[in-house]
Amino acid sequence: MRMLLRPGTTVFRKPCRVFALVKHHLSFLSENGESREKPKTFEGNNRQVVNEICNVLESGGPWGSSSETALSALNFKPQPELIISVLRRLRDVNKAIDYFRWYERRTELPHSPEAYNSLLLVMSRCGNFHELEQILGEMSVAGFGPSVNTCIDMVSTCVKANKLKEGFDVLQMMRKFKFRPAFSAYTTLIGAFSAVNHQSDMMLTLFQQMQELGYEPTVHLFTTLIRGFAREGRVDSALSLLDEMKSSSLDADIVLYNVCIDCFGKVGKVDMAWKFFHEMEANGLKPDEVTYTSMIGVLCKANRLDEAVEMFEHLEKNRTVPCTYAYNTMIMGYGSAGKFEEAYSLLERQRAKGSIPSVIAYNCILTSLRRMGKVEEALRVFEEMKKDAPPNLSTYNILIDMLCRAGKLECAFKLRDSMEKAGLFPNVRTVNIMVDRLCKAQKLDEACAVFEEMDYNVCTPDEITFCSLIDGLGKVGRVDDAYRIYEKMLDAECLPNSVVYTSLIRNFFNHGRKEDGHKIYKEMMNHQNCSPDLQFLNTYMDCVFKAGETEKGRAMFEEIKAHGFVPDARSYSILIHGLIKAGFANETHELFYSMKERGCVLDTRAYNIVIDGFCKCGKVNKAYQLLEEMKAKGFEPTVVTYGSVIDGLAKIDRLDEAYMLFEEAKSKRIELNVVIYSSLIDGFGKVGRVDEAYLILEELMQKGLTPNVYTWNSLLDALVKAEEINEALACFQSLKEMKCTRNQVTYGILINGLCKVRKFNKAFVFWQEMQKQGMKPSAVSYTTMISGLAKAGNIAEAGSLFERFKGNGGVPDSACYNAMIEGLSNGNRAMDAFALFEETRRKGLNIHNKTCVVLLDTLHKNDCLEQAAIVGAVLRETGKAKHAARCW
């Protein structure tokens, strides 16, 4: 365009542009032809005009009439080149669009392709493509599209900002308006996706679009695609791409073969890597250092060390200068196999060949020593390496990590100080290692100190630093401190990810702060730059269920689907487990089949939860079938699996089957816990097989396990039901001697047993002992004790207990009232007995015939004839009712 502005040169490419310019020029002439004051033109003063426009636009404040007035006051001559120059200077996409529209209204002329492309470049620079669809739509109507360079720039910007999904959407938007995205835009985006895990499907989609557009893929493009698929373990897809490349008459180069060897080998396909190595030689390509080193690394990782050594020796044969990369890989291989003497020998061999081992070689050894936990040897190697190569940041990080893992925190701090003296300053990885390890060791104050001491001029905390500290503080209950760190994260403009929000929510709920947990959830959902993932939503649903908010938990499951996620095995497991705990185990069956219909693959945890649900709702046969299905699919049942089914079978008296499963679990060397033993003891005890219950208890104790209160209660209950009260008392004494905690159920069982054999006074002794220990008797215990005391004639104590029970909000049942009436009658307290008789009738409780007879006799003895007549009438009515029932 600058050619048009040269003196003496007038070139017009489009007649409409000529007409528009002439018309605009004539509008400045007066009626008599004299020239009026001309506005500023783009010629000569272009830089000044652009500066003045940009100053107006960048002066601050939102676009409005004042901005338009200020621009109009500049009185410049509108030219296409002017708007292009202004757009190239702007860094605010909203201001750029406002100016773009204002210019359009002012001139009443359509924008040029260059102007539209300049606006797209502003969007690209700002990383803001909200108006992309509108702009591309206008360009489509105008009959032109984005230039190749603009298309590449937009995608490249997204890649540099790590916004790959946004880059993908840019290309799809161009396709929507029938524009042809540039070849390099596709290859750039495919290359970026190949470096990210689990994005191979996105790569394949882009590749297929390229083929639809008629682009010819290159060997380099196929190499990128194959690398991505092989890295994810999708071997069949990678091989299909390789076959497609060969069918396209493209010859594989050494780079492709090296990629195939490395990627296929790293996912465990060693034989496939060998195949590529030999195929490469057969095709006349000579393996280079990268080929050999990749193959050595693959073999070392597969623990095929002998083959790796053979390959290494083949590479080294006839070489005067050793391949440092191959030496480092081989040293790492020896170290990973624990063969440190061979690794040290290789270092000496490298020195003998005139090559000083690098810091990488030593770091390889130190990394292996860290895995083996050999701290002292690592420190010795660290001192030795200083003779050959100065330690770098990675060296210090490896050692600091190792020392922190070993609990030698003081040594780790000293090493950090020596690192600074050596002129190396901790980077964010160093800080992350120390903060994470200190948090895991529950040394939170020290972790906070490391965080606070960070020199922001050297390194700044990243999301890992903040996340480690937030999670560490939250786990030990310092949730307010964790939230303060979260606020610091926001102040530092470090965007929290879903892991941070997951940690905050889980820890708030775990420490009884569910309202704060709900607030964090809302805050996350309102956060524009962080989207929830499935793990976050699953965790929140789990927390909601555990907080007892069952209906909210159900709604959360539906919300997962509303967010576009497909509930996985964990989602269903949380839902089923939450409903079981809330008493809705009967819904397990329906949810289980819904889970299967959606193609959800059950893992061991999911099987365990579903099996437990079936057992809890009485569908033990279904649970048994699921256990067999689990084994058939290769999932090994755990102690939880066996525990659920054994407990379910024991509760419905299928004890022989339960015992068979118990023996099966032991044969598989599964460490059985107290819960399983207690289930069997309870089952055998309930059906009167006390001897077998005792044998199970004996085995439990021989295994070194300690019976819990539930175990003892099950055995006590069995002995009481068998009326072996002396054995039950001996069992209770053993429980005390072993210092096992007793609860109100324990005392209730014993009191009930003693009352059954009419040892009421002994029962009352245990009643008083229970209360001395601060235990609140249950309604059943109250009823049992009141009835027992009344039957024993201890009316005063029975009456006192009866009134206390009612005063504490207890509701005596029919048996309790009948026992009290009989006790009062036997104690010759006729009117008190009658008053209680009337109270029983008012409450609508059943009065036994025997009780009526005893009361009637007492009333007659005390000449209470009117009251006796009422009791007699009730007795007759009761007799008639029973007779009528028998006749019916």
Side-chain angles (χ1 to χ4, degrees):
M1 300 305 297
R2 292 192 180 188
M3 285 178 59
L4 304 179
L5 305 176
R6 288 177 186 170
T9 307
T10 306
V11 179
F12 296 104
R13 296 182 181 273
K14 294 186 180 180
C16 61
R17 179 86 44 97
V18 175
F19 177 75
L21 289 172
V22 170
K23 182 180 177 182
H24 191 73
H25 175 71
L26 291 175
S27 68
F28 287 97
L29 297 178
S30 62
E31 289 181 5
N32 59 8
E34 292 181 1
S35 177
R36 292 180 294 182
E37 182 185 353
K38 290 187 179 181
K40 297 172 186 175
T41 67
F42 193 62
E43 298 175 17
N45 295 321
N46 56 338
R47 185 171 297 177
Q48 181 185 346
V49 173
V50 169
N51 287 340
E52 289 175 355
I53 294 171
C54 289
N55 287 337
V56 170
L57 294 173
E58 294 171 353
S59 60
W63 179 273
S65 58
S66 59
S67 304
E68 295 187 8
T69 303
L71 286 172
S72 299
L74 293 177
N75 200 24
F76 59 84
K77 181 179 179 181
Q79 294 187 42
E81 293 81 1
L82 180 61
I83 189 171
I84 294 167
S85 297
V86 170
L87 290 174
R88 284 174 181 167
R89 290 268 301 273
L90 291 177
R91 291 292 180 272
D92 186 331
V93 69
N94 294 319
K95 293 279 179 70
I97 291 171
D98 289 334
Y99 174 66
F100 191 80
R101 297 303 181 202
W102 174 82
Y103 186 93
E104 199 172 47
R105 292 193 300 273
R106 173 84 184 274
T107 62
E108 297 182 356
L109 292 172
H111 286 293
S112 67
E114 291 84 358
Y116 273 103
N117 276 290
S118 297
L119 183 59
L120 291 177
L121 289 173
V122 177
M123 291 182 180
S124 178
R125 282 197 300 274
C126 300
N128 185 338
F129 295 100
H130 294 312
E131 298 294 326
L132 180 65
E133 186 172 8
Q134 174 68 28
I135 299 302
L136 290 180
E138 291 177 20
M139 293 175 80
S140 177
V141 171
F144 50 79
S147 68
V148 170
N149 288 338
T150 302
C151 176
I152 296 169
D153 192 274
M154 287 192 292
V155 171
S156 299
T157 300
C158 293
V159 168
K160 286 173 186 174
N162 202 26
K163 295 180 178 179
L164 305 189
K165 179 65 171 62
E166 209 163 318
F168 181 84
D169 291 341
V170 167
L171 295 187
Q172 302 320 299
M173 191 65 70
M174 289 183 67
R175 284 171 57 82
K176 177 182 175 180
F177 291 104
K178 309 300 180 187
F179 296 134
R180 181 186 174 92
F183 179 89
S184 293
Y186 273 113
T187 56
T188 300
L189 197 53
I190 289 172
F193 275 123
S194 73
V196 181
N197 291 329
H198 310 299
Q199 293 293 342
S200 51
D201 287 332
M202 203 71 87
M203 291 164 52
L204 190 60
T205 301
L206 293 170
F207 178 67
Q208 288 168 346
Q209 288 179 7
M210 289 181 74
Q211 290 177 310
E212 288 171 12
L213 293 170
Y215 286 128
E216 291 290 334
T218 62
V219 174
H220 177 71
L221 180 57
F222 274 112
T223 303
T224 304
L225 289 163
I226 291 166
R227 181 192 288 114
F229 278 96
R231 187 181 292 150
E232 290 182 16
R234 297 177 64 175
V235 177
D236 292 338
S237 299
L239 291 173
S240 296
L241 283 166
L242 194 60
D243 290 339
E244 186 176 339
M245 187 200 81
K246 290 176 180 176
S247 66
S248 301
S249 301
L250 292 170
D251 294 325
D253 58 13
I254 193 167
V255 175
L256 176 57
Y257 276 115
N258 287 345
V259 165
C260 288
I261 289 168
D262 185 56
C263 293
F264 280 93
K266 281 179 179 174
V267 294
K269 304 292 181 182
V270 183
D271 293 336
M272 193 73 73
W274 268 123
K275 173 186 170 293
F276 285 118
F277 184 85
H278 295 307
E279 183 183 307
M280 175 183 182
E281 291 181 313
N283 288 340
L285 293 170
K286 185 179 179 182
D288 59 8
E289 290 180 355
V290 176
T291 317
Y292 277 104
T293 307
S294 297
M295 200 69 221
I296 291 166
V298 166
L299 293 166
C300 287
K301 189 178 177 183
N303 294 321
R304 291 163 68 165
L305 207 57
D306 292 338
E307 293 174 74
V309 171
E310 186 181 340
M311 181 69 70
F312 175 75
E313 295 299 340
H314 191 272
L315 172 64
E316 280 295 287
K317 190 178 180 181
N318 302 322
R319 281 184 67 93
T320 53
V321 179
C323 175
T324 305
Y325 188 32
Y327 269 90
N328 293 344
T329 307
M330 198 66 237
I331 287 167
M332 190 68 183
Y334 277 130
S336 299
K339 296 187 174 184
F340 294 105
E341 291 304 320
E342 286 84 344
Y344 301 143
S345 173
L346 211 56
L347 286 176
E348 292 300 325
R349 180 173 165 184
Q350 189 177 352
R351 281 195 203 94
K353 286 202 169 188
S355 174
I356 298 172
S358 68
V359 68
I360 296 171
Y362 282 103
N363 285 353
C364 288
I365 293 174
L366 289 172
T367 301
S368 300
L369 289 168
R370 179 183 61 183
R371 287 177 187 161
M372 305 285 181
K374 296 189 175 186
V375 180
E376 298 305 324
E377 191 170 348
L379 293 172
R380 181 183 60 78
V381 171
F382 174 67
E383 292 302 323
E384 286 183 7
M385 76 175 286
K386 294 175 184 177
K387 300 172 187 175
D388 291 330
N392 61 10
L393 269 173
S394 295
T395 316
Y396 281 101
N397 285 343
I398 292 165
L399 283 167
I400 288 170
D401 186 25
M402 188 187 300
L403 290 166
C404 288
R405 283 174 188 269
K408 298 187 175 185
L409 300 174
E410 289 185 13
C411 293
F413 279 108
K414 285 180 183 177
L415 191 64
R416 184 194 64 174
D417 295 340
S418 68
M419 170 185 180
E420 291 176 3
K421 288 176 184 176
L424 293 171
F425 291 92
N427 60 7
V428 70
R429 175 158 171 72
T430 317
V431 174
N432 288 350
I433 289 167
M434 297 198 76
V435 168
D436 181 63
R437 302 296 179 262
L438 287 166
C439 286
K440 285 175 179 171
Q442 295 195 357
K443 294 185 179 290
L444 278 308
D445 291 334
E446 290 88 339
C448 290
V450 170
F451 175 77
E452 296 296 339
E453 289 169 6
M454 284 185 76
D455 185 350
Y456 279 52
N457 294 322
V458 178
C459 71
T460 54
D462 60 10
E463 63 271 12
I464 297 172
T465 324
F466 285 109
C467 187
S468 296
L469 201 52
I470 288 167
D471 194 52
L473 289 165
K475 279 180 178 174
V476 297
R478 291 171 60 176
V479 285
D480 290 323
D481 290 336
Y483 192 78
R484 276 192 284 273
I485 297 296
Y486 164 72
E487 289 178 326
K488 283 188 177 183
M489 186 179 189
L490 295 177
D491 292 341
E493 297 184 354
C494 183
L495 294 178
N497 55 24
S498 62
V499 178
V500 171
Y501 285 108
T502 303
S503 173
L504 283 169
I505 284 175
R506 183 175 54 244
N507 290 322
F508 270 123
F509 270 95
N510 286 349
H511 293 92
R513 302 267 296 272
K514 69 176 186 178
E515 293 306 322
D516 290 314
H518 289 313
K519 285 177 186 174
I520 293 292
Y521 175 75
K522 288 175 184 174
E523 198 170 320
M524 160 69 166
M525 301 312 288
N526 294 329
H527 204 296
Q528 294 181 349
N529 295 316
C530 183
S531 300
D533 57 16
L534 186 55
Q535 184 180 353
F536 168 80
L537 296 170
N538 280 343
T539 300
Y540 182 60
M541 179 170 64
D542 189 37
C543 290
V544 166
F545 270 120
K546 285 176 180 174
E549 300 179 6
T550 308
E551 292 310 312
K552 195 161 190 172
R554 286 181 193 269
M556 194 62 220
F557 184 78
E558 296 303 319
E559 195 171 324
I560 286 173
K561 293 187 273 188
H563 280 291
F565 294 106
V566 177
D568 61 1
R570 184 162 181 259
S571 311
Y572 277 99
S573 299
I574 291 166
L575 177 63
I576 293 169
H577 185 66
L579 292 173
I580 290 169
K581 290 288 182 186
F584 298 101
N586 57 324
E587 297 183 33
T588 303
H589 189 269
E590 185 182 338
L591 285 168
F592 171 67
Y593 280 104
S594 169
M595 193 175 178
K596 281 202 158 185
E597 282 172 12
R598 292 176 179 272
C600 196
V601 179
L602 278 74
D603 55 10
T604 303
R605 185 173 182 271
Y607 269 111
N608 286 347
I609 289 171
V610 175
I611 286 170
D612 186 51
F614 280 134
C615 289
K616 290 250 185 344
C617 66
K619 295 178 180 176
V620 182
N621 287 335
K622 190 67 194 171
Y624 211 113
Q625 288 172 13
L626 211 54
L627 172 63
E628 295 304 317
E629 178 187 308
M630 182 181 180
K631 290 189 280 189
K633 289 193 173 180
F635 293 102
E636 283 299 321
T638 65
V639 65
V640 177
T641 326
Y642 281 109
S644 297
V645 183
I646 288 169
D647 185 60
L649 291 166
K651 277 185 168 60
I652 58 171
D653 300 341
R654 288 165 61 177
L655 291 159
D656 293 331
E657 292 172 81
Y659 191 77
M660 283 173 62
L661 269 183
F662 174 73
E663 290 296 330
E664 180 185 307
K666 287 196 293 183
S667 70
K668 292 186 175 181
R669 301 186 182 281
I670 290 173
E671 289 292 327
L672 301 179
N673 56 28
V674 176
V675 176
I676 293 177
Y677 281 98
S678 299
S679 295
L680 283 174
I681 290 167
D682 185 55
F684 281 120
K686 276 186 170 63
V687 296
R689 294 163 68 174
V690 181
D691 291 339
E692 286 160 287
Y694 260 118
L695 287 171
I696 297 292
L697 178 65
E698 188 179 341
E699 183 181 322
L700 179 155
M701 297 177 81
Q702 285 174 352
K703 292 272 186 183
L705 298 171
T706 304
N708 59 23
V709 67
Y710 178 77
T711 319
W712 288 114
N713 287 350
S714 299
L715 188 59
L716 273 174
D717 189 52
L719 292 167
V720 163
K721 283 177 179 172
E723 295 189 1
E724 295 184 21
I725 198 65
N726 291 330
E727 192 68 32
L729 288 168
C731 181
F732 183 81
Q733 189 59 34
S734 298
L735 191 152
K736 289 174 78 173
E737 288 170 2
M738 293 179 69
K739 295 182 180 178
C740 180
T741 306
R742 286 93 67 199
N743 59 17
Q744 62 182 33
V745 177
T746 317
Y747 281 99
I749 292 167
L750 202 55
I751 289 165
N752 181 52
L754 288 164
C755 289
K756 276 178 74 176
V757 295
R758 306 190 67 79
K759 292 189 177 184
F760 302 116
N761 292 331
K762 184 72 172 172
F764 193 59
V765 171
F766 281 107
W767 173 271
Q768 290 172 319
E769 183 183 317
M770 173 171 64
Q771 290 191 305
K772 281 178 185 176
Q773 293 188 16
M775 294 180 197
K776 186 180 178 182
S778 65
V780 175
S781 297
Y782 264 110
T783 303
T784 304
M785 198 66 251
I786 291 165
S787 301
L789 289 169
K791 287 173 184 176
N794 195 343
I795 298 303
E797 288 289 354
S800 172
L801 210 56
F802 186 74
E803 293 304 323
R804 194 192 312 165
F805 180 40
K806 290 198 291 182
N808 290 335
V811 181
D813 61 6
S814 174
C816 192
Y817 272 104
N818 278 279
M820 278 299 298
I821 293 167
E822 287 182 37
L824 290 166
S825 299
N826 290 330
N828 204 28
R829 291 168 59 178
M831 290 309 293
D832 289 338
F834 182 75
L836 205 57
F837 172 83
E838 288 293 275
E839 185 182 323
T840 309
R841 287 177 66 201
R842 284 196 302 272
K843 289 184 178 291
L845 297 173
N846 181 42
I847 301 175
H848 303 157
N849 284 353
K850 181 190 171 187
T851 306
C852 290
V853 170
V854 173
L855 176 60
L856 193 61
D857 185 50
T858 304
L859 290 167
H860 278 301
K861 283 179 184 178
N862 287 277
D863 293 327
C864 301
L865 300 179
E866 186 180 342
Q867 288 81 7
I870 294 170
V871 174
V874 170
L875 187 58
R876 284 192 297 274
E877 287 299 318
T878 306
K880 286 179 183 178
K882 286 186 177 179
H883 178 72
R886 282 197 298 270
C887 292
W888 187 83

